[in-house]
Amino acid sequence: AGNAYIAGKTSAGHAFVLKLSADGSTIQYNVTLAGSGADAATAVSVDSAGNAFVAGQTTSPDFPVTAGAFQQHLKGTQNCFLVRLDPAGNILSGTYFGGSGSDSLSSIAVDSAGNIDLAGSTSSLDLPTTPGTMQPSAIVPPWNNSSPAGFVAQFAPDGISLKWASYV
């Protein structure tokens, strides 16, 4: 519909997403996604129905996840998050994604089938991956003796069901 979406971190250290009208003259919603820790939205993508998918990272053990989420609890010092907002800015779904280390999200895309593709970096050796993917187990490269480096993952259009995930 030509709307602009801006995602980031507030001065209080919480994730936010702002939706502007197509002509940029009106704020249609401004949603803060916050827990008790530090939260930052680093990517946003919109599907054909106008739902916004906001992703980033959080240290909050009480980040707003929803019932049925893929990952209900913070597992490491910092995990990624994925939140789906309806066209009015209401939270439809939210989940953590990460392991026992520190995970950061750098990009998101919604494909033509509505699946949500995520990419980022991780120090987690136990990131939730799926069998049959390119690299389902962490391989720590010889030049980096502490972490496996990156990941890619795909969630179903509901924003809470993991379809597949792999280290890269």
Side-chain angles (χ1 to χ4, degrees):
N3 300 94
Y5 295 81
I6 302 165
K9 183 170 78 169
T10 68
S11 60
H14 299 299
F16 79 91
V17 61
L18 179 113
K19 178 182 176 182
L20 293 174
S21 60
D23 66 2
S25 67
T26 307
I27 295 174
Q28 295 187 330
Y29 63 70
N30 184 0
V31 177
T32 300
L33 302 168
S36 58
D39 319 294
T42 54
V44 62
S45 189
V46 182
D47 68 12
S48 60
N51 298 306
F53 294 89
V54 184
Q57 53 271 344
T58 182
T59 64
S60 297
D62 54 351
F63 192 80
V65 298
T66 54
F70 169 73
Q71 184 177 322
Q72 292 280 328
H73 304 286
L74 184 71
K75 289 185 179 177
T77 56
Q78 176 177 287
N79 285 160
C80 299
F81 68 80
L82 174 62
V83 173
R84 178 174 56 125
L85 303 174
D86 71 11
N90 300 304
I91 296 175
L92 297 175
S93 63
T95 188
Y96 290 103
F97 178 75
S100 60
S102 181
D103 313 296
S104 297
L105 190 112
S106 57
S107 58
I108 185 173
V110 178
D111 69 18
S112 61
N115 297 306
I116 304 99
D117 298 313
L118 306 175
S121 60
T122 182
S123 68
S124 297
L125 297 175
D126 58 350
L127 191 77
T129 60
T130 53
T133 56
M134 178 181 69
Q135 190 179 328
S137 299
I139 297 172
V140 179
W143 48 265
N144 179 351
N145 63 3
S146 63
S147 67
F151 70 88
V152 291
Q154 185 177 78
F155 278 81
D158 65 8
I160 56 173
S161 303
L162 181 68
K163 292 184 85 173
W164 58 264
S166 177
Y167 286 100
V168 292

